[in-house]
Amino acid sequence: MPEEFPNDSRPHFVIPYWDSPGPGVSGDNGNIRPLPGNIVSYLCGGIKASAYQPGERLDVAVEVHNHGGANTLQQAQVTVWWADPATGFVLSPDRLIGFQMVPVSGRGGKATSPTMSKEIPVSAPPHICLLARVSHQFDRAGNIADPVNDRHWAQRNLAAMQAQPGVPVKLVFNAGNPFKNDATFLLIARPSGEESLRRLGEELHAEPVFFEGLLAIGENEDLQLEAGVRTIRVDLQAGEQRNIHIGLRLVGDPGRGRFTAVELIQTLDDGEGVLGSLGVVLRG
């Protein structure tokens, strides 16, 4: 449900997922959460990052908008972490990339943080997630890293790889329980839809094609590949993270300069309330 902008001096910060499409049309002001279905939650444009390579320095900056009612600059507290590929995040201090105070004027003001840098360990996986948070004492972010439902949080990650038709691909990601109580979650592996493919195409400067192949998801490496959407349920203790295995196999070659994609989504047990998602791109 849309929030109301504060009409007093409180800030209303957001890390924007989309820009204004044209004059008179609002961009991401933080009032539409959960994120609309046509927005890719793991591809926030407000997080700017250098090319990633394990063992090398990663530079990250974060764009922040302020739709509060103040006429003066207000200090946004911006924090960035890195994490293994995951659909539910349990953040740890050793994954902190940086923290910056960013002055942003109210009434639609925009600013970008100074660059935050960290050398990512050489033992890190070939693809990682970036999580960014903006907060203020009068506009606090939630304690759970929740880019889908909380305008203070944002995520950026993308696993991209070459794929050969008929050759199985196996991946591992983390499902996590960010809550203080044990819980059951639904994990979904599915081909990316038309809108997600379009936005990924803009990001990759490549032509998307629908996924044609087989998928599998499970808690061990013994996976049975099948067509269509694949789901499993997992019980996680409070704060637990668990490795989940994904298998896929393309039937046809996307072709040179093209790609296809699948999405991994974590929801509450009833299938409602998306906690997070992850994208896997397969290039021709």
Side-chain angles (χ1 to χ4, degrees):
M1 178 177 295
E3 292 183 64
E4 292 186 4
F5 294 137
N7 55 16
D8 52 25
S9 61
R10 290 173 298 164
H12 183 94
F13 289 124
V14 60
I15 302 173
Y17 264 85
W18 67 90
D19 296 324
S20 169
V25 181
S26 175
D28 183 10
N29 57 25
N31 275 9
I32 303 177
R33 296 295 186 277
L35 289 170
N38 64 335
I39 299 299
V40 181
S41 66
Y42 52 82
L43 207 59
C44 179
I47 301 176
K48 321 291 184 181
S50 61
Y52 166 68
Q53 181 67 37
E56 297 185 2
R57 189 181 78 173
L58 181 68
D59 298 326
V60 183
V62 179
E63 183 179 348
V64 178
H65 296 183
N66 182 5
H67 294 275
N71 292 312
T72 58
L73 291 172
Q74 296 175 297
Q75 296 292 328
Q77 305 162 4
V78 177
T79 312
V80 179
W81 295 262
W82 72 275
D84 292 345
T87 52
F89 296 97
V90 180
L91 300 177
S92 58
D94 64 309
R95 300 294 180 91
L96 177 69
I97 291 179
F99 170 90
Q100 292 284 350
M101 299 298 295
V102 183
V104 192
S105 60
R107 303 181 183 274
K110 303 177 182 180
T112 299
S113 74
T115 299
M116 292 164 270
S117 302
K118 184 180 181 70
E119 183 175 310
I120 307 300
V122 69
S123 59
H127 307 283
I128 61 173
C129 297
L130 295 176
L131 278 299
R133 181 189 69 189
V134 60
S135 194
H136 185 278
Q137 62 177 331
F138 297 123
D139 185 30
R140 294 189 182 277
N143 293 326
I144 295 172
D146 189 2
V148 175
N149 300 291
D150 187 342
R151 60 181 163 85
H152 302 88
W153 287 92
Q155 174 186 352
R156 185 173 183 84
N157 67 276
L158 189 64
M161 60 194 66
Q162 298 295 127
Q164 298 179 358
V167 179
V169 175
K170 292 186 177 181
L171 304 168
V172 178
F173 74 99
N174 287 334
N177 179 1
F179 302 124
K180 295 182 179 180
N181 300 309
D182 299 352
T184 300
F185 301 93
L186 184 67
L187 301 176
I188 305 166
R190 68 185 187 191
S192 295
E194 181 177 359
E195 186 62 26
S196 292
L197 288 173
R198 184 188 66 80
R199 295 185 69 87
L200 288 170
E202 293 173 351
E203 177 76 14
L204 299 170
H205 304 291
E207 181 183 351
V209 296
F210 286 107
F211 177 81
E212 294 184 9
L214 306 177
L215 286 172
I217 183 170
E219 294 190 57
N220 55 60
E221 296 183 19
D222 185 18
L223 300 172
Q224 184 67 40
L225 292 166
E226 297 182 17
V229 177
R230 308 289 287 147
T231 64
I232 61 169
R233 281 183 166 81
V234 294
D235 299 316
L236 299 176
Q237 297 179 356
E240 180 186 358
Q241 285 192 311
R242 187 179 303 169
N243 285 347
I244 302 296
H245 297 264
I246 294 292
L248 53 89
R249 186 172 68 211
L250 287 176
V251 172
D253 187 348
R256 185 176 180 84
R258 295 181 176 182
F259 73 93
T260 189
V262 299
E263 296 176 336
L264 314 174
I265 300 168
Q266 180 175 338
T267 75
L268 300 178
D269 185 37
D270 59 4
E272 301 295 329
V274 175
L275 294 182
S277 59
L278 181 68
V280 179
V281 165
L282 303 166
R283 295 179 179 271

